[in-house]
Amino acid sequence: MFGIAVPDTEKDREDQRMSMRVLAFAPSLNVVSQDAGGITAEGFPMKSCYVDAFPTQITVPVVAAFCSAGGINFDSRKVIVATSPDGERVGILEFAWDWPDDPKLGVKFRVFAQHLRMTVKTAGIYAVGLYDCQWTSVTARWRTWEL
């Protein structure tokens, strides 16, 4: 089910214009950045993952796509955090990018192929969240991995 937030006030409308939006965020079976821009993803979104033994280290490909109005968000930073079924942080990936405006457009887009290293200690549902750089607010969360 999708919901669209309708701004109630002029301040809400201004905040919506000034914010960075998450267009896509989820693990994938495979994701590769393309030289000409964009990504190629297979198995997106990944709904489950299996390992041969516990504990183990795995690398999880993650797609993260954003858009923003021009004139803001020039130096952007996000953090991807994986947590175990008991809430322990088992993987962290911080990434940042210089995001210049395109003078011909009033909006800008960016998509990333990230690779999150994480420790898997036991079977269970692991959460992967996308956070602002201060880790104070969750931007997006993907929570359907059972290992």
Side-chain angles (χ1 to χ4, degrees), residues 34 38 52-53 59 70-71 75 79 98 102 110 115 128 131 136 142:
Q34 298 299 312
D52 293 328
T59 300
D75 297 311
V79 178
D98 179 41
D102 183 337
R110 188 70 189 257
H115 294 86
V128 178
Y131 296 83
T136 56
W142 183 261

Side-chain angles (χ1 to χ4, degrees), residues 28-111:
S28 181
L29 292 176
N30 186 33
V31 62
V32 178
S33 294
Q34 298 299 312
D35 291 337
I39 62 159
T40 299
E42 296 175 20
F44 177 83
M46 181 171 65
K47 297 178 183 171
S48 62
C49 177
Y50 298 95
V51 296
D52 293 328
F54 296 103
T56 190
Q57 286 272 323
I58 62 172
T59 300
V60 179
V62 178
V63 173
F66 308 93
C67 73
S68 178
I72 57 172
N73 296 315
F74 294 108
D75 297 311
S76 299
R77 181 177 306 273
K78 294 290 181 187
V79 178
I80 300 172
V81 178
T83 55
S84 68
D86 63 1
E88 176 188 0
R89 285 188 184 143
V90 293
I92 299 173
L93 173 69
E94 184 174 357
F95 61 107
W97 66 99
D98 179 41
W99 205 2
D101 287 338
D102 183 337
K104 298 175 276 188
L105 301 174
V107 67
K108 49 191 174 182
F109 295 90
R110 188 70 189 257
V111 62

